[in-house]
Amino acid sequence: MKRLYLLFMLIFLMLIAVGCNGNADPSSSETDSDTTKVTFSYWGGDFDKKRMEAINEEFKKVHPEIEVELVNLPDGEEYSQKQTVMMSAKTPYDVIQFAEESYQFASRGVLEDLTPYIEEDGLDLDQFYPVAIDAYTHDGKVYGLPLRVGSVIMLYNKDLFDQHDLEYPNENWTWDDVVKAGEKIANPEEGIFGMNPIGGWWASTSQTLQSFGGGVLNEEKDAFHLDSPESRKAIEFMKEVTWDKDIAPSSTQIPEGIDLWTSGKIAMMIDGPWHILSSQANIKEFDWDMTTAPAGSQDATPIFSNAFHMAKDSKVKDAAWEVIKFWTGEEAQKILAQEHGDTPTNKEIAESDLYLDLGGKAPENFEMMLTSLEGAYPPQVTSEWGEINRIVQEGMSKMVDLDQPIEEVMPGVKSEVEALLQKLKD
C-alpha cells in the first residue's frame, strides 16, 4: 500500500512539474499560420541522433508545412514513465518510438490504430519484412511502423580462432560447436573467455530458451513455461558454460569499465547488431567477422526493433501520420542503410548494395544480417511485458550469474509471473 501511495505521489508531482514548466509540455501547436508542429519522442545515442536529424532534414524538403520537434529521452523505465505521465496529462508527444512496450500502451487505449491511415494511403506493407510488422500488430491492428529491425547474431574474433587452429563459426553452428571451440580458447586466468555472458537481458534469454525448445511463456502467452523441461535444460546450459566449463564470464570476472569484446578478450559475442558499428569504430587490434546465432534443438532468434506510433490524444494526427510515413519510407530507409548496422525493414533496400556493400570493411559476412531474420520471431509481449520481463530477468540473474539453485529461485519467479497472467485473465 505504501508503494502504491508513493507511486501516485510521484505521478502527481510529475504532472505538476509538467504544468508549471512550459518547455516540458510537448502538446502540438501551430508554430505560425502555415506550419504545424509535430513532437516526436525517441531514445538513442549519437548514431541515433545523427540519423534522426538527417531524416528530419530530408523531411523538411518534402513537407515544409510541418515542423518536427525531435525530443531525445533517456531509455528504459524512465522513458515509459515519461510517456505515461504525458499521456495522463493529455499532452502526449504526437509521434512516439516504442519497442517491446508497444502492446502495453496499445492495450491501454492511448495509441492510435494506424490501420485506417495505411489503408487510405494504400501503403503496401508487403515491402517490409513481415516479422517487423507483426511485432507491432496487436489484435489485428497495426499500431506502429518500424524503420529498422535486428536479431541476435554472433560476432567472432578471428585471431583467437587462428591462434588455436580452429575453423571459424558459420550459420550451421550449434551450441555444441560453441562449447567445443570455447573450451579450447578460454583462459580465465588471463581474462580470455570463449563467449560473452548469456541470459543477461530478455533477447539473450529468449534466444537461448527458444533454441532449446523452451520459453518464458507458452505459445498462447497465457501460461508460465520457464519451468518446462526444455527451458530448464537451457538454464542448466547457461549455468554450465558460466560455472562448470568457465567459458562465459560471470559479472565478477568482468573488469569494471572494460569491454571484453572490443578489447579482444572474448572469442564469440552472441548479442545484437549494434555491436557491428561499435566494433568498426573501436576494434583496431584484431580481425573479426560475424554469422548467425547458434542453434540448440532448433534455430531460434528473436527480433528487436522499434517502431513509430501515434498518440491517441494527438491534436495533429494527419501531420503525425505524414511524419511516421516518411520516417519509415524509402528516403529514411536509405539513410539507415548507409550506416550498415541495423537492417532496414524495407526488404528491397535491405537486400541492395546500399546496405550490404561495406566497401571492404568488416564484417566480411555482413549478409548474415539478412540470414538471421529468416525464421526470426517477435518477442512474447503482453500488456504486463515490463513487469514479467523484470521478474524473469531478476530470476535469471540469480540462477545464472549468481549460480543459485534453480529449485530455490524458480518457484518465486513462477508465483509472481502467474499472478500477473491471472490478472490478464480476470
Side-chain angles (χ1 to χ4, degrees):
M1 191 69 185
K2 184 176 179 181
R3 290 179 63 188
L4 186 60
Y5 170 77
L6 290 173
L7 177 60
F8 284 147
M9 286 299 297
L10 174 62
I11 293 177
F12 176 71
L13 291 172
M14 291 179 75
L15 285 172
I16 291 176
V18 169
C20 293
N21 184 356
N23 293 328
D25 183 356
S27 57
S28 302
S29 61
E30 300 292 328
T31 55
D32 58 49
S33 59
D34 299 318
T35 308
T36 301
K37 184 171 87 171
V38 173
T39 54
F40 190 155
S41 66
Y42 73 102
W43 71 86
D46 292 340
F47 285 117
D48 302 282
K49 291 178 183 177
K50 182 178 179 181
R51 179 193 320 115
M52 294 293 274
E53 289 166 0
I55 296 173
N56 197 14
E57 287 303 312
E58 294 303 315
F59 180 80
K60 291 176 184 178
K61 298 174 184 177
V62 180
H63 290 284
E65 78 283 5
I66 301 174
E67 176 192 342
V68 178
E69 180 185 345
L70 294 172
V71 184
N72 183 261
L73 299 171
D75 64 359
E77 188 174 344
E78 188 175 345
Y79 184 88
S80 295
Q81 289 176 346
K82 178 73 170 180
Q83 303 301 337
T84 298
V85 169
M86 292 307 187
M87 289 172 177
S88 299
K90 302 295 182 182
T91 59
Y93 297 100
D94 300 301
V95 178
I96 307 167
Q97 174 180 294
F98 280 125
E100 294 77 37
E101 305 87 355
S102 172
Y103 183 73
Q104 264 183 281
F105 282 86
S107 66
R108 297 176 193 169
V110 294
L111 298 180
E112 185 79 2
D113 174 13
L114 299 182
T115 310
Y117 296 87
I118 293 169
E119 293 175 348
E120 183 176 343
D121 278 8
L123 183 63
D124 183 12
L125 295 184
D126 289 340
Q127 66 182 294
F128 300 102
Y129 285 103
V131 68
I133 298 298
D134 291 346
Y136 302 99
T137 302
H138 315 307
D139 301 321
K141 300 175 182 179
V142 180
Y143 283 92
L145 289 182
L147 168 65
R148 54 183 179 164
V149 64
S151 63
V152 177
I153 57 173
M154 178 160 68
L155 307 181
Y156 55 90
N157 183 322
K158 296 172 72 173
D159 287 16
L160 287 177
F161 276 83
D162 290 342
Q163 288 172 20
H164 295 82
D165 197 27
L166 297 172
E167 292 186 5
Y168 298 143
N170 60 58
E171 64 270 28
N172 298 314
W173 267 37
T174 66
W175 285 115
D176 287 341
D177 296 308
V178 169
V179 169
K180 288 176 184 177
E183 285 183 306
K184 293 181 179 180
I185 294 173
N187 188 343
E189 292 183 0
E190 295 189 9
I192 304 294
F193 295 92
M195 60 186 291
N196 62 302
I198 53 176
W201 68 296
W202 78 262
S204 177
T205 296
S206 178
Q207 191 272 329
T208 311
L209 292 174
Q210 292 277 348
S211 69
F212 280 83
V216 173
L217 305 176
N218 63 350
E219 288 187 13
E220 293 74 24
K221 297 182 287 189
D222 60 3
F224 187 73
H225 198 55
L226 192 62
D227 61 347
S228 69
E230 295 83 4
S231 296
R232 184 185 178 97
K233 186 176 181 180
I235 297 171
E236 289 173 343
F237 170 77
M238 291 186 238
K239 291 168 69 71
E240 179 183 38
V241 296
T242 306
W243 295 100
D244 297 339
K245 296 184 179 298
D246 227 0
I247 298 172
S250 67
S251 58
T252 59
Q253 294 174 293
I254 303 176
E256 186 175 354
I258 299 297
D259 184 326
L260 293 182
W261 165 246
T262 57
S263 61
K265 303 296 185 181
I266 288 179
M268 293 165 280
M269 167 66 77
I270 305 163
D271 208 354
W274 49 85
H275 288 288
I276 292 176
L277 294 180
S278 65
S279 297
Q280 290 172 341
N282 298 307
I283 294 177
K284 310 296 182 185
E285 303 298 326
F286 63 91
D287 291 330
W288 59 281
D289 209 336
M290 67 169 288
T291 187
T292 56
S297 60
Q298 61 184 22
D299 287 318
T301 179
I303 67 158
F304 27 81
S305 62
N306 53 61
F308 307 129
H309 302 67
M310 187 192 303
K312 189 80 170 178
D313 287 330
S314 170
K315 299 177 179 64
V316 289
K317 292 182 180 179
D318 287 343
W321 169 242
E322 292 300 327
V323 171
I324 292 173
K325 192 166 55 172
F326 189 89
W327 246 260
T328 54
E330 183 176 344
E331 194 62 42
Q333 298 265 353
K334 287 180 177 179
I335 290 172
L336 172 67
Q338 293 176 77
E339 295 178 8
H340 309 292
D342 284 323
T343 303
T345 51
N346 182 299
K347 291 181 288 187
E348 183 176 349
I349 294 175
E351 294 165 7
S352 71
D353 287 343
L354 185 67
Y355 178 61
L356 294 176
D357 186 357
L358 275 60
K361 294 192 299 183
E364 182 179 346
N365 293 320
F366 186 63
E367 73 279 359
M368 288 293 109
M369 288 290 290
L370 304 186
T371 305
S372 71
L373 292 176
E374 297 174 4
Y377 59 89
Q380 290 185 307
V381 295
T382 70
S383 58
E384 292 290 342
W385 158 268
E387 194 63 10
I388 290 176
N389 182 50
R390 180 191 64 78
I391 294 166
V392 169
Q393 286 309 135
E394 286 180 359
M396 291 297 297
S397 177
K398 291 176 182 178
M399 291 184 286
V400 178
D401 189 50
L402 301 180
D403 199 27
Q404 294 182 14
I406 297 174
E407 295 79 5
E408 293 182 7
V409 178
M410 189 66 75
V413 175
K414 181 175 183 177
S415 177
E416 289 190 70
V417 171
E418 287 188 334
L420 291 171
L421 294 176
Q422 185 60 48
K423 179 181 174 182
L424 297 178
K425 297 175 183 178
D426 293 341

